[in-house]
Short mmCIF file of all heavy atoms in Angstrom, two decimals:
data_model
loop_
_atom_site.label_atom_id
_atom_site.label_comp_id
_atom_site.label_asym_id
_atom_site.label_seq_id
_atom_site.Cartn_x
_atom_site.Cartn_y
_atom_site.Cartn_z
N ALA A 1 -11.88 5.63 -5.17
CA ALA A 1 -11.00 6.16 -4.13
C ALA A 1 -10.54 5.03 -3.23
O ALA A 1 -11.20 3.99 -3.12
CB ALA A 1 -11.71 7.24 -3.32
N LEU A 2 -9.39 5.24 -2.59
CA LEU A 2 -8.82 4.26 -1.68
C LEU A 2 -8.64 4.91 -0.31
O LEU A 2 -8.11 6.01 -0.22
CB LEU A 2 -7.46 3.77 -2.20
CG LEU A 2 -6.73 2.72 -1.34
CD1 LEU A 2 -7.49 1.41 -1.36
CD2 LEU A 2 -5.29 2.52 -1.85
N THR A 3 -9.10 4.22 0.75
CA THR A 3 -9.03 4.76 2.11
C THR A 3 -7.98 4.01 2.92
O THR A 3 -7.98 2.78 2.99
CB THR A 3 -10.39 4.67 2.81
OG1 THR A 3 -11.35 5.43 2.07
CG2 THR A 3 -10.32 5.22 4.22
N ILE A 4 -7.09 4.79 3.55
CA ILE A 4 -6.00 4.25 4.36
C ILE A 4 -6.04 4.91 5.73
O ILE A 4 -6.14 6.14 5.83
CB ILE A 4 -4.63 4.52 3.69
CG1 ILE A 4 -4.56 3.85 2.32
CG2 ILE A 4 -3.48 4.07 4.58
CD1 ILE A 4 -3.38 4.29 1.48
N HIS A 5 -5.96 4.11 6.79
CA HIS A 5 -5.85 4.62 8.15
C HIS A 5 -4.43 4.33 8.65
O HIS A 5 -3.84 3.30 8.30
CB HIS A 5 -6.86 3.95 9.08
CG HIS A 5 -8.27 4.06 8.60
ND1 HIS A 5 -9.07 5.15 8.86
CD2 HIS A 5 -9.04 3.21 7.85
CE1 HIS A 5 -10.26 4.97 8.32
NE2 HIS A 5 -10.27 3.80 7.70
N ALA A 6 -3.90 5.23 9.48
CA ALA A 6 -2.53 5.04 9.96
C ALA A 6 -2.41 5.51 11.40
O ALA A 6 -3.03 6.50 11.80
CB ALA A 6 -1.55 5.81 9.08
N LEU A 7 -1.59 4.77 12.16
CA LEU A 7 -1.27 5.13 13.53
C LEU A 7 0.15 5.67 13.55
O LEU A 7 1.08 5.04 13.03
CB LEU A 7 -1.37 3.90 14.43
CG LEU A 7 -1.04 4.10 15.92
CD1 LEU A 7 -2.05 5.02 16.58
CD2 LEU A 7 -0.98 2.75 16.63
N LEU A 8 0.33 6.85 14.16
CA LEU A 8 1.64 7.51 14.22
C LEU A 8 2.12 7.53 15.66
O LEU A 8 1.33 7.69 16.60
CB LEU A 8 1.52 8.93 13.66
CG LEU A 8 2.76 9.83 13.68
CD1 LEU A 8 2.85 10.62 12.38
CD2 LEU A 8 2.69 10.80 14.87
N ASP A 9 3.45 7.41 15.84
CA ASP A 9 4.01 7.46 17.19
C ASP A 9 5.41 8.05 17.13
O ASP A 9 6.11 7.94 16.11
CB ASP A 9 4.05 6.06 17.80
CG ASP A 9 4.18 6.09 19.33
OD1 ASP A 9 3.90 7.14 19.92
OD2 ASP A 9 4.56 5.05 19.90
N SER A 10 5.82 8.69 18.21
CA SER A 10 7.16 9.25 18.36
C SER A 10 7.36 9.56 19.83
O SER A 10 6.42 9.48 20.63
CB SER A 10 7.34 10.50 17.50
OG SER A 10 6.70 11.62 18.08
N PRO A 11 8.57 9.93 20.24
CA PRO A 11 8.80 10.17 21.67
C PRO A 11 7.86 11.19 22.30
O PRO A 11 7.47 11.04 23.46
CB PRO A 11 10.25 10.66 21.71
CG PRO A 11 10.89 9.95 20.56
CD PRO A 11 9.84 9.92 19.48
N ARG A 12 7.44 12.23 21.54
CA ARG A 12 6.61 13.27 22.16
C ARG A 12 5.24 13.42 21.53
O ARG A 12 4.53 14.38 21.86
CB ARG A 12 7.36 14.61 22.12
CG ARG A 12 8.53 14.67 23.11
CD ARG A 12 9.22 16.02 23.03
NE ARG A 12 9.98 16.15 21.79
CZ ARG A 12 10.49 17.30 21.34
NH1 ARG A 12 10.29 18.42 22.02
NH2 ARG A 12 11.18 17.32 20.22
N ALA A 13 4.83 12.52 20.65
CA ALA A 13 3.50 12.67 20.03
C ALA A 13 3.01 11.32 19.52
O ALA A 13 3.80 10.43 19.19
CB ALA A 13 3.56 13.67 18.88
N SER A 14 1.70 11.21 19.46
CA SER A 14 1.06 10.08 18.78
C SER A 14 -0.10 10.66 17.98
O SER A 14 -0.53 11.80 18.21
CB SER A 14 0.56 9.03 19.77
OG SER A 14 -0.46 9.57 20.60
N GLY A 15 -0.62 9.88 17.04
CA GLY A 15 -1.69 10.44 16.24
C GLY A 15 -2.39 9.40 15.38
O GLY A 15 -1.87 8.30 15.14
N ALA A 16 -3.60 9.76 14.94
CA ALA A 16 -4.39 8.93 14.03
C ALA A 16 -4.58 9.70 12.74
O ALA A 16 -4.84 10.91 12.76
CB ALA A 16 -5.74 8.58 14.65
N TYR A 17 -4.47 9.00 11.61
CA TYR A 17 -4.61 9.62 10.30
C TYR A 17 -5.55 8.80 9.43
O TYR A 17 -5.59 7.57 9.52
CB TYR A 17 -3.25 9.72 9.59
CG TYR A 17 -2.36 10.79 10.15
CD1 TYR A 17 -1.70 10.61 11.36
CD2 TYR A 17 -2.17 12.00 9.48
CE1 TYR A 17 -0.88 11.59 11.88
CE2 TYR A 17 -1.36 12.99 9.99
CZ TYR A 17 -0.70 12.79 11.19
OH TYR A 17 0.10 13.76 11.71
N GLN A 18 -6.26 9.53 8.58
CA GLN A 18 -7.06 8.89 7.54
C GLN A 18 -6.74 9.58 6.21
O GLN A 18 -6.77 10.81 6.11
CB GLN A 18 -8.56 9.02 7.82
CG GLN A 18 -9.45 8.36 6.77
CD GLN A 18 -10.91 8.66 7.00
OE1 GLN A 18 -11.38 9.78 6.79
NE2 GLN A 18 -11.65 7.65 7.46
N PHE A 19 -6.39 8.79 5.22
CA PHE A 19 -6.10 9.29 3.88
C PHE A 19 -7.12 8.68 2.91
O PHE A 19 -7.21 7.46 2.80
CB PHE A 19 -4.69 8.89 3.43
CG PHE A 19 -3.60 9.33 4.35
CD1 PHE A 19 -3.16 8.52 5.39
CD2 PHE A 19 -2.98 10.57 4.19
CE1 PHE A 19 -2.14 8.92 6.24
CE2 PHE A 19 -1.97 10.98 5.04
CZ PHE A 19 -1.54 10.16 6.06
N VAL A 20 -7.85 9.54 2.21
CA VAL A 20 -8.75 9.08 1.15
C VAL A 20 -8.16 9.60 -0.16
O VAL A 20 -8.11 10.81 -0.38
CB VAL A 20 -10.18 9.58 1.35
CG1 VAL A 20 -11.09 9.02 0.24
CG2 VAL A 20 -10.70 9.16 2.72
N ILE A 21 -7.70 8.69 -1.00
CA ILE A 21 -6.93 9.05 -2.19
C ILE A 21 -7.83 8.95 -3.41
O ILE A 21 -8.39 7.90 -3.71
CB ILE A 21 -5.72 8.12 -2.34
CG1 ILE A 21 -4.91 8.13 -1.03
CG2 ILE A 21 -4.86 8.54 -3.51
CD1 ILE A 21 -3.91 7.01 -0.94
N HIS A 22 -7.95 10.08 -4.12
CA HIS A 22 -8.77 10.17 -5.32
C HIS A 22 -7.83 10.32 -6.53
O HIS A 22 -7.31 11.41 -6.77
CB HIS A 22 -9.72 11.36 -5.25
CG HIS A 22 -10.61 11.37 -4.05
ND1 HIS A 22 -11.90 10.88 -4.07
CD2 HIS A 22 -10.40 11.83 -2.79
CE1 HIS A 22 -12.45 11.03 -2.88
NE2 HIS A 22 -11.56 11.60 -2.08
N PRO A 23 -7.58 9.25 -7.28
CA PRO A 23 -6.66 9.36 -8.41
C PRO A 23 -7.29 10.11 -9.58
O PRO A 23 -8.51 10.12 -9.76
CB PRO A 23 -6.39 7.90 -8.78
CG PRO A 23 -7.58 7.15 -8.28
CD PRO A 23 -8.08 7.88 -7.08
N GLY A 24 -6.43 10.77 -10.37
CA GLY A 24 -6.91 11.50 -11.53
C GLY A 24 -5.80 12.29 -12.18
O GLY A 24 -4.61 12.12 -11.86
N ALA A 25 -6.16 13.18 -13.11
CA ALA A 25 -5.16 14.03 -13.75
C ALA A 25 -4.39 14.81 -12.70
O ALA A 25 -3.16 14.93 -12.76
CB ALA A 25 -5.85 14.97 -14.74
N ASN A 26 -5.09 15.36 -11.74
CA ASN A 26 -4.50 15.93 -10.52
C ASN A 26 -5.07 15.14 -9.35
O ASN A 26 -6.19 15.40 -8.91
CB ASN A 26 -4.85 17.41 -10.38
CG ASN A 26 -4.05 18.30 -11.31
OD1 ASN A 26 -3.06 17.86 -11.90
ND2 ASN A 26 -4.46 19.54 -11.46
N SER A 27 -4.33 14.16 -8.87
CA SER A 27 -4.83 13.33 -7.77
C SER A 27 -4.99 14.17 -6.51
O SER A 27 -4.31 15.19 -6.32
CB SER A 27 -3.89 12.16 -7.51
OG SER A 27 -3.86 11.28 -8.61
N ARG A 28 -5.91 13.74 -5.66
CA ARG A 28 -6.19 14.47 -4.41
C ARG A 28 -6.20 13.49 -3.26
O ARG A 28 -6.74 12.38 -3.38
CB ARG A 28 -7.54 15.18 -4.51
CG ARG A 28 -7.84 16.09 -3.32
CD ARG A 28 -9.23 16.69 -3.40
NE ARG A 28 -10.25 15.81 -2.85
CZ ARG A 28 -11.31 15.38 -3.51
NH1 ARG A 28 -11.49 15.70 -4.78
NH2 ARG A 28 -12.20 14.58 -2.92
N MET A 29 -5.61 13.92 -2.13
CA MET A 29 -5.66 13.14 -0.91
C MET A 29 -6.41 13.94 0.14
O MET A 29 -6.00 15.06 0.49
CB MET A 29 -4.26 12.81 -0.42
CG MET A 29 -3.44 11.98 -1.40
SD MET A 29 -1.76 11.57 -0.80
CE MET A 29 -2.15 10.39 0.49
N ASP A 30 -7.51 13.40 0.64
CA ASP A 30 -8.25 14.03 1.74
C ASP A 30 -7.67 13.48 3.05
O ASP A 30 -7.75 12.28 3.31
CB ASP A 30 -9.74 13.70 1.65
CG ASP A 30 -10.37 14.25 0.37
OD1 ASP A 30 -9.83 15.22 -0.18
OD2 ASP A 30 -11.40 13.70 -0.06
N VAL A 31 -7.09 14.36 3.83
CA VAL A 31 -6.36 13.95 5.03
C VAL A 31 -7.09 14.44 6.27
O VAL A 31 -7.45 15.63 6.37
CB VAL A 31 -4.92 14.52 5.03
CG1 VAL A 31 -4.14 14.00 6.24
CG2 VAL A 31 -4.20 14.15 3.73
N ARG A 32 -7.30 13.53 7.20
CA ARG A 32 -7.88 13.85 8.50
C ARG A 32 -6.93 13.35 9.57
O ARG A 32 -6.40 12.24 9.44
CB ARG A 32 -9.25 13.19 8.65
CG ARG A 32 -9.93 13.44 9.99
CD ARG A 32 -11.20 12.61 10.12
NE ARG A 32 -11.86 12.81 11.40
CZ ARG A 32 -12.88 12.08 11.85
NH1 ARG A 32 -13.36 11.09 11.09
NH2 ARG A 32 -13.42 12.33 13.02
N ALA A 33 -6.69 14.15 10.60
CA ALA A 33 -5.72 13.75 11.62
C ALA A 33 -6.18 14.19 13.00
O ALA A 33 -6.87 15.21 13.15
CB ALA A 33 -4.35 14.35 11.32
#
């Protein structure tokens, strides 16, 4: 699996994200925000 963190910003919101990507026949992304 591959783990990615991201910082989001916009005029009226900001946020933190974590994506854990599990590749496979049907890939899955575990998203936390």
Side-chain angles (χ1 to χ4, degrees):
L2 180 67
T3 299
I4 299 169
H5 305 275
L7 179 66
L8 177 140
D9 199 18
S10 76
R12 287 180 289 167
S14 64
Y17 285 75
Q18 180 187 71
F19 304 91
V20 183
I21 307 165
H22 304 265
N26 284 346
S27 294
R28 186 184 85 237
M29 299 180 71
D30 297 336
V31 184
R32 179 187 179 189

